[in-house]
Amino acid sequence: MRFLIPICLLVCCSVYSQKPACSCSFQSILSAGLAAGKSAAMPIFQGSAGVNFNNYFIGIGAGIDAYRYNTIPIFADLRRDFGKKNTAFLYSQAGYNIPYNNESVHNIFGATRITDKFGGGLYLDAGIGYRIHLKGSHRLLLSTGYSYKKLSNNVTYSYRCITAPCGEDRYYYEYSLGRIITKISWEFNKRRMAD
């Protein structure tokens, strides 16, 4: 047992001193944009962070999506750079929507709404973009793509009556919202993990 700690330290030091096969770096992306579809265009905001290696970026992110209903998408972010200077890129995001601060638009005359609960669902976003290299390790990204978000809504109404129990009606709605997304982003904090 007493030899286990020095062996572990030697293994860790030898792994740390080896040169990695790729040139990796940390990277963060902040985005603002508009989502437009059958409903009016609404703002979206996103932030993601991860690792860039060999023209690929893998990270995780979250945002605020105000299209039709307010949601907080939490997603995995994958990007692939193209071109001699990596100016073009493809991106895809997949995750889950968490609804917040919403109210159903459905009302029934003469009824009192008892419950109005929203549930989350699938979130997808994929598209193409162009990178403009700025000073240092900062980049400006312009992108457009297609996005999809799904959520549900449970609503219960109660009716006035003279004798109890009074009647209740329950309704379940599902929303599958496809829309076109345009974003402007700032890519920054690129620093090498190893030389």
Side-chain angles (χ1 to χ4, degrees), residues 25-33 44-53 55-64 73 75-81 86 88-93 125 129-132 137-143 182-191:
S25 61
F26 291 112
Q27 184 173 307
S28 298
I29 303 168
L30 291 177
S31 304
I44 58 165
F45 303 96
Q46 293 179 343
S48 60
V51 177
N52 188 336
F53 63 97
N55 296 331
Y56 285 94
F57 169 80
I58 296 177
I60 56 171
I64 297 173
F75 53 85
D77 193 352
L78 175 64
R79 295 169 189 256
R80 170 73 163 99
D81 297 338
N86 295 332
F89 64 91
L90 295 174
Y91 76 90
S92 62
Q93 299 171 344
D125 186 3
Y130 185 79
R131 177 180 287 104
I132 301 169
S137 59
H138 301 277
R139 316 281 187 265
L140 183 68
L141 311 179
L142 304 172
S143 62
T182 57
K183 291 184 271 192
I184 184 167
S185 308
W186 177 30
E187 185 180 81
F188 64 101
N189 282 355
K190 227 175 171 183
R191 53 190 177 89

Side-chain angles (χ1 to χ4, degrees), residues 1 10 14-15 19 27 41 52 63 90-91 95 114 121 170 175:
M1 183 69 178
L10 286 173
S14 65
V15 169
K19 189 172 182 178
Q27 184 173 307
N52 188 336
L90 295 174
Y91 76 90
I114 298 174
R170 296 182 181 182
Y175 302 100

Side-chain angles (χ1 to χ4, degrees), residues 45 61-66 69-75 95-102 120-121 123 149:
F45 303 96
I64 297 173
D65 189 330
Y69 293 104
N70 297 320
T71 60
I72 298 173
I74 298 172
F75 53 85
Y96 189 79
N97 276 307
I98 301 171
Y100 76 97
N101 197 25
N102 291 306
Y123 174 81
K149 74 175 181 177

